[in-house]
Amino acid sequence: MATLSEWIEGARPRTLPAAVSPVVIGTGSAYGLGHADAALALLALLVALFLQVGVNYANDYSDGIRGTDERRVGPVRLVGQRLAQPGQVKAAAFACFGLAAVAGLALMALSAFFWLFPIGIAAVLAAWYYTGGKHPYGYAGLGEVFVFVFFGLVAVVCTTATQVHRADLGTWMGAVGIGSLITAVLVANNLRDIPGDSVSGKHTLAVRLGDRGTRMLYVGLVAVAGLAAVLAAVGGHPYALLGLVGLLAAVPPTRTVLSGAIGRELIPVLAGTGITCLAYGFLLAIGLALG
């Protein structure tokens, strides 16, 4: 039986900025467009948090039963390290997906934004089939695409749309910016796992691009986040440039990535990129709200 602390670590709390930041940006954008609703923002946050934890447990389960996690470094793997039964971890994943669905239905009902229903179904399916099923797309190098779409574009734009029923250029640029940074978290994670994934047959984008290409992709994603803030400013939200201040937090992890760090040396990059997501997210949200 895994301990409570192991279950918490298995939920990957360091990844939670990927759930919080898009909702913050979306709510800041809604405020700038004329109306922000705290209750709807809270429901959107619950959806994002439960989906994030759910996908973390789902990945733990799917990678664990395939044996992929046996050669990795980093956080606790409940199944891979035989700390919990696979069925228990799978149940935890689906429990989180269920809670996300409940919060999503409440958000849809209160906002009358009925497009959330098919989007929510797609989000849950994407969360499970990242590493689950017979043909997981994460094993085919498509994980970064889905993370950018669902944790960036969908999360931010839907958060704004449920509160004001529209989105502007600032909303979309905020979605692109934070989506790029959240994708950078995954890129850093997969960069660390290239040796083990190569052996186990998990052909992530990092495995396909190779070490150098993956490091350049990480830097490029951070640059895209900066460009998105500039475009939001040019497009009528001058205070969106505050997002560039948040990107200063990306300097240490970017240096580490460019230094050629490998294995456990890359673990601080994950934490640093998560902090960057929060700093960028909150400051960009303020900028969009002031705009």
mmCIF file of all heavy atoms in Angstrom, residues 246-274:
data_model
loop_
_atom_site.group_PDB
_atom_site.id
_atom_site.type_symbol
_atom_site.label_atom_id
_atom_site.label_comp_id
_atom_site.label_asym_id
_atom_site.label_seq_id
_atom_site.Cartn_x
_atom_site.Cartn_y
_atom_site.Cartn_z
ATOM 1 N N GLY A 246 7.553 38.179 -16.278
ATOM 2 C CA GLY A 246 7.406 36.818 -15.768
ATOM 3 C C GLY A 246 8.368 35.843 -16.415
ATOM 4 O O GLY A 246 8.805 34.865 -15.790
ATOM 5 N N LEU A 247 8.728 36.105 -17.659
ATOM 6 C CA LEU A 247 9.650 35.213 -18.371
ATOM 7 C C LEU A 247 11.072 35.261 -17.829
ATOM 8 O O LEU A 247 11.896 34.412 -18.172
ATOM 9 C CB LEU A 247 9.658 35.547 -19.863
ATOM 10 C CG LEU A 247 8.494 35.023 -20.702
ATOM 11 C CD1 LEU A 247 8.694 35.386 -22.158
ATOM 12 C CD2 LEU A 247 8.331 33.513 -20.552
ATOM 13 N N LEU A 248 11.370 36.252 -16.997
ATOM 14 C CA LEU A 248 12.704 36.280 -16.378
ATOM 15 C C LEU A 248 12.944 35.024 -15.551
ATOM 16 O O LEU A 248 14.099 34.587 -15.389
ATOM 17 C CB LEU A 248 12.843 37.523 -15.495
ATOM 18 C CG LEU A 248 12.864 38.877 -16.234
ATOM 19 C CD1 LEU A 248 12.888 40.016 -15.225
ATOM 20 C CD2 LEU A 248 14.068 38.952 -17.174
ATOM 21 N N ALA A 249 11.865 34.437 -15.050
ATOM 22 C CA ALA A 249 11.999 33.194 -14.273
ATOM 23 C C ALA A 249 12.478 32.037 -15.133
ATOM 24 O O ALA A 249 12.936 31.011 -14.610
ATOM 25 C CB ALA A 249 10.659 32.841 -13.614
ATOM 26 N N ALA A 250 12.370 32.189 -16.458
ATOM 27 C CA ALA A 250 12.805 31.122 -17.366
ATOM 28 C C ALA A 250 14.303 31.141 -17.626
ATOM 29 O O ALA A 250 14.833 30.203 -18.233
ATOM 30 C CB ALA A 250 12.053 31.234 -18.690
ATOM 31 N N VAL A 251 14.983 32.180 -17.180
ATOM 32 C CA VAL A 251 16.417 32.290 -17.463
ATOM 33 C C VAL A 251 17.218 31.126 -16.848
ATOM 34 O O VAL A 251 17.993 30.457 -17.559
ATOM 35 C CB VAL A 251 16.975 33.650 -16.997
ATOM 36 C CG1 VAL A 251 18.496 33.687 -17.142
ATOM 37 C CG2 VAL A 251 16.334 34.781 -17.801
ATOM 38 N N PRO A 252 17.073 30.832 -15.541
ATOM 39 C CA PRO A 252 17.853 29.723 -14.971
ATOM 40 C C PRO A 252 17.565 28.369 -15.621
ATOM 41 O O PRO A 252 18.524 27.656 -15.989
ATOM 42 C CB PRO A 252 17.459 29.746 -13.483
ATOM 43 C CG PRO A 252 17.032 31.149 -13.230
ATOM 44 C CD PRO A 252 16.335 31.573 -14.486
ATOM 45 N N PRO A 253 16.279 27.960 -15.791
ATOM 46 C CA PRO A 253 16.068 26.662 -16.436
ATOM 47 C C PRO A 253 16.559 26.616 -17.883
ATOM 48 O O PRO A 253 17.042 25.572 -18.342
ATOM 49 C CB PRO A 253 14.547 26.455 -16.353
ATOM 50 C CG PRO A 253 13.968 27.797 -16.100
ATOM 51 C CD PRO A 253 15.009 28.534 -15.327
ATOM 52 N N THR A 254 16.453 27.734 -18.592
ATOM 53 C CA THR A 254 16.940 27.757 -19.973
ATOM 54 C C THR A 254 18.450 27.579 -20.010
ATOM 55 O O THR A 254 18.994 26.850 -20.864
ATOM 56 C CB THR A 254 16.546 29.079 -20.663
ATOM 57 O OG1 THR A 254 15.117 29.197 -20.665
ATOM 58 C CG2 THR A 254 17.047 29.111 -22.091
ATOM 59 N N ARG A 255 19.147 28.227 -19.100
ATOM 60 C CA ARG A 255 20.606 28.059 -19.022
ATOM 61 C C ARG A 255 20.957 26.601 -18.741
ATOM 62 O O ARG A 255 21.917 26.054 -19.312
ATOM 63 C CB ARG A 255 21.177 28.961 -17.934
ATOM 64 C CG ARG A 255 21.265 30.437 -18.323
ATOM 65 C CD ARG A 255 21.804 31.251 -17.166
ATOM 66 N NE ARG A 255 22.029 32.641 -17.551
ATOM 67 C CZ ARG A 255 22.333 33.599 -16.694
ATOM 68 N NH1 ARG A 255 22.469 33.317 -15.391
ATOM 69 N NH2 ARG A 255 22.519 34.841 -17.108
ATOM 70 N N THR A 256 20.200 25.976 -17.861
ATOM 71 C CA THR A 256 20.471 24.574 -17.527
ATOM 72 C C THR A 256 20.265 23.684 -18.738
ATOM 73 O O THR A 256 21.062 22.787 -19.014
ATOM 74 C CB THR A 256 19.555 24.117 -16.374
ATOM 75 O OG1 THR A 256 19.774 24.946 -15.227
ATOM 76 C CG2 THR A 256 19.833 22.668 -15.991
ATOM 77 N N VAL A 257 19.178 23.928 -19.463
ATOM 78 C CA VAL A 257 18.914 23.142 -20.668
ATOM 79 C C VAL A 257 20.038 23.315 -21.683
ATOM 80 O O VAL A 257 20.530 22.349 -22.269
ATOM 81 C CB VAL A 257 17.554 23.543 -21.287
ATOM 82 C CG1 VAL A 257 17.396 22.947 -22.686
ATOM 83 C CG2 VAL A 257 16.412 23.078 -20.393
ATOM 84 N N LEU A 258 20.476 24.556 -21.897
ATOM 85 C CA LEU A 258 21.515 24.825 -22.885
ATOM 86 C C LEU A 258 22.902 24.360 -22.434
ATOM 87 O O LEU A 258 23.803 24.205 -23.255
ATOM 88 C CB LEU A 258 21.561 26.321 -23.199
ATOM 89 C CG LEU A 258 20.351 26.882 -23.951
ATOM 90 C CD1 LEU A 258 20.472 28.386 -24.125
ATOM 91 C CD2 LEU A 258 20.201 26.192 -25.316
ATOM 92 N N SER A 259 23.045 24.126 -21.142
ATOM 93 C CA SER A 259 24.340 23.673 -20.617
ATOM 94 C C SER A 259 24.619 22.208 -20.929
ATOM 95 O O SER A 259 25.737 21.728 -20.724
ATOM 96 C CB SER A 259 24.406 23.892 -19.102
ATOM 97 O OG SER A 259 23.587 22.937 -18.424
ATOM 98 N N GLY A 260 23.581 21.495 -21.382
ATOM 99 C CA GLY A 260 23.751 20.076 -21.681
ATOM 100 C C GLY A 260 23.435 19.170 -20.512
ATOM 101 O O GLY A 260 23.789 17.980 -20.534
ATOM 102 N N ALA A 261 22.759 19.680 -19.489
ATOM 103 C CA ALA A 261 22.405 18.879 -18.318
ATOM 104 C C ALA A 261 21.580 17.664 -18.738
ATOM 105 O O ALA A 261 20.770 17.723 -19.668
ATOM 106 C CB ALA A 261 21.616 19.727 -17.327
ATOM 107 N N ILE A 262 21.776 16.551 -18.023
ATOM 108 C CA ILE A 262 21.046 15.322 -18.320
ATOM 109 C C ILE A 262 20.517 14.701 -17.031
ATOM 110 O O ILE A 262 20.909 15.091 -15.928
ATOM 111 C CB ILE A 262 21.943 14.298 -19.049
ATOM 112 C CG1 ILE A 262 23.154 13.941 -18.176
ATOM 113 C CG2 ILE A 262 22.378 14.826 -20.400
ATOM 114 C CD1 ILE A 262 24.017 12.829 -18.756
ATOM 115 N N GLY A 263 19.615 13.741 -17.177
ATOM 116 C CA GLY A 263 19.131 12.972 -16.034
ATOM 117 C C GLY A 263 18.583 13.833 -14.917
ATOM 118 O O GLY A 263 17.796 14.756 -15.134
ATOM 119 N N ARG A 264 19.017 13.536 -13.710
ATOM 120 C CA ARG A 264 18.516 14.256 -12.538
ATOM 121 C C ARG A 264 18.877 15.733 -12.550
ATOM 122 O O ARG A 264 18.237 16.534 -11.871
ATOM 123 C CB ARG A 264 19.052 13.603 -11.252
ATOM 124 C CG ARG A 264 18.505 12.202 -11.010
ATOM 125 C CD ARG A 264 18.903 11.657 -9.650
ATOM 126 N NE ARG A 264 18.350 10.331 -9.447
ATOM 127 C CZ ARG A 264 17.120 10.099 -9.020
ATOM 128 N NH1 ARG A 264 16.319 11.124 -8.745
ATOM 129 N NH2 ARG A 264 16.688 8.873 -8.856
ATOM 130 N N GLU A 265 19.886 16.103 -13.312
ATOM 131 C CA GLU A 265 20.268 17.514 -13.419
ATOM 132 C C GLU A 265 19.149 18.345 -14.048
ATOM 133 O O GLU A 265 19.123 19.569 -13.891
ATOM 134 C CB GLU A 265 21.532 17.652 -14.267
ATOM 135 C CG GLU A 265 22.757 16.971 -13.662
ATOM 136 C CD GLU A 265 23.921 16.943 -14.630
ATOM 137 O OE1 GLU A 265 23.707 17.244 -15.829
ATOM 138 O OE2 GLU A 265 25.049 16.612 -14.214
ATOM 139 N N LEU A 266 18.236 17.676 -14.760
ATOM 140 C CA LEU A 266 17.139 18.379 -15.419
ATOM 141 C C LEU A 266 15.897 18.515 -14.540
ATOM 142 O O LEU A 266 14.962 19.212 -14.912
ATOM 143 C CB LEU A 266 16.763 17.650 -16.715
ATOM 144 C CG LEU A 266 17.778 17.778 -17.856
ATOM 145 C CD1 LEU A 266 17.478 16.772 -18.952
ATOM 146 C CD2 LEU A 266 17.779 19.202 -18.411
ATOM 147 N N ILE A 267 15.877 17.854 -13.388
ATOM 148 C CA ILE A 267 14.706 17.947 -12.516
ATOM 149 C C ILE A 267 14.421 19.397 -12.104
ATOM 150 O O ILE A 267 13.264 19.834 -12.120
ATOM 151 C CB ILE A 267 14.868 17.026 -11.290
ATOM 152 C CG1 ILE A 267 14.859 15.559 -11.749
ATOM 153 C CG2 ILE A 267 13.750 17.278 -10.279
ATOM 154 C CD1 ILE A 267 15.088 14.565 -10.636
ATOM 155 N N PRO A 268 15.445 20.206 -11.739
ATOM 156 C CA PRO A 268 15.158 21.616 -11.420
ATOM 157 C C PRO A 268 14.575 22.396 -12.589
ATOM 158 O O PRO A 268 13.894 23.403 -12.382
ATOM 159 C CB PRO A 268 16.535 22.164 -11.017
ATOM 160 C CG PRO A 268 17.310 20.977 -10.575
ATOM 161 C CD PRO A 268 16.852 19.861 -11.463
ATOM 162 N N VAL A 269 14.824 21.947 -13.806
ATOM 163 C CA VAL A 269 14.260 22.620 -14.973
ATOM 164 C C VAL A 269 12.737 22.498 -14.958
ATOM 165 O O VAL A 269 12.024 23.448 -15.301
ATOM 166 C CB VAL A 269 14.832 22.029 -16.280
ATOM 167 C CG1 VAL A 269 14.117 22.611 -17.496
ATOM 168 C CG2 VAL A 269 16.324 22.303 -16.365
ATOM 169 N N LEU A 270 12.236 21.341 -14.548
ATOM 170 C CA LEU A 270 10.783 21.156 -14.469
ATOM 171 C C LEU A 270 10.171 22.114 -13.462
ATOM 172 O O LEU A 270 9.166 22.776 -13.736
ATOM 173 C CB LEU A 270 10.458 19.712 -14.086
ATOM 174 C CG LEU A 270 10.923 18.632 -15.053
ATOM 175 C CD1 LEU A 270 10.599 17.250 -14.512
ATOM 176 C CD2 LEU A 270 10.281 18.822 -16.414
ATOM 177 N N ALA A 271 10.798 22.206 -12.280
ATOM 178 C CA ALA A 271 10.289 23.124 -11.254
ATOM 179 C C ALA A 271 10.420 24.568 -11.722
ATOM 180 O O ALA A 271 9.491 25.379 -11.558
ATOM 181 C CB ALA A 271 11.060 22.915 -9.950
ATOM 182 N N GLY A 272 11.557 24.911 -12.329
ATOM 183 C CA GLY A 272 11.770 26.283 -12.793
ATOM 184 C C GLY A 272 10.809 26.682 -13.891
ATOM 185 O O GLY A 272 10.322 27.825 -13.927
ATOM 186 N N THR A 273 10.498 25.747 -14.793
ATOM 187 C CA THR A 273 9.547 26.056 -15.860
ATOM 188 C C THR A 273 8.139 26.183 -15.296
ATOM 189 O O THR A 273 7.349 27.022 -15.763
ATOM 190 C CB THR A 273 9.583 24.971 -16.955
ATOM 191 O OG1 THR A 273 10.941 24.704 -17.321
ATOM 192 C CG2 THR A 273 8.831 25.432 -18.193
ATOM 193 N N GLY A 274 7.828 25.388 -14.282
ATOM 194 C CA GLY A 274 6.533 25.524 -13.615
ATOM 195 C C GLY A 274 6.377 26.879 -12.948
ATOM 196 O O GLY A 274 5.319 27.521 -13.031
#
